[in-house]
Amino acid sequence: MKKIRKGDKVVIIAGKDKGKQSTIIGFEDFDKILVRDINKIKKHVKPNPNRNEVGGIVEKESGIHISNVAILNPVHNKADRVGFRYNESGIKVRFFKSDGTLIDS
């Protein structure tokens, strides 16, 4: 079970976008994630008539290391750490370390 999952609200804690809040849209590697509107790059794309793609300059998100983000605790509106524990029915769940509330999944 991963501490941070797709769809989680996160806070950027390091880099040029430090302090911004956004949502995880996917994973690039086991240690890099894609975050909506964070770490945007411009890529020059050639046209491909076989796929009906036009060329030009495309702006898209690039991967950011997972250590540079922290999950957002909506109660305190601050970055928080994640822990694991088992609930009453024996299922492993995530919780916020600061106040012990469960993370909605």
Side-chain angles (χ1 to χ4, degrees):
M1 180 178 274
K2 293 183 178 182
K3 291 187 176 184
I4 296 179
R5 297 181 188 166
K6 181 179 177 180
D8 284 346
K9 298 274 287 174
V10 293
V11 178
I12 309 302
I13 58 174
K16 66 179 182 180
D17 296 316
K18 182 178 179 177
K20 292 184 181 177
Q21 299 177 3
S22 191
T23 308
I24 295 178
I25 57 175
F27 287 86
E28 196 173 75
D29 266 341
F30 64 94
D31 61 346
K32 291 207 176 223
I33 58 174
L34 297 173
V35 184
R36 178 168 281 117
D37 296 328
I38 301 295
N39 198 23
K40 294 196 93 150
I41 60 166
K42 291 186 180 191
K43 183 173 180 172
H44 296 262
V45 179
K46 283 180 137 181
N48 189 346
N50 294 332
R51 292 188 192 165
N52 294 328
E53 292 178 356
V54 295
I57 300 173
V58 178
E59 194 170 355
K60 66 176 197 167
E61 291 93 359
S62 181
I64 184 170
H65 199 271
I66 201 163
S67 66
N68 294 332
V69 300
I71 195 161
L72 178 70
N73 190 338
V75 176
H76 304 294
N77 203 23
K78 288 185 177 179
D80 206 347
R81 293 183 298 154
V82 177
F84 294 105
R85 66 176 167 215
Y86 292 94
N87 61 6
E88 300 82 26
S89 52
I91 298 172
K92 192 175 185 181
V93 293
R94 302 181 299 161
F95 70 97
F96 292 116
K97 289 254 185 158
S98 63
D99 56 1
T101 58
L102 293 180
I103 298 173
D104 298 331
S105 296

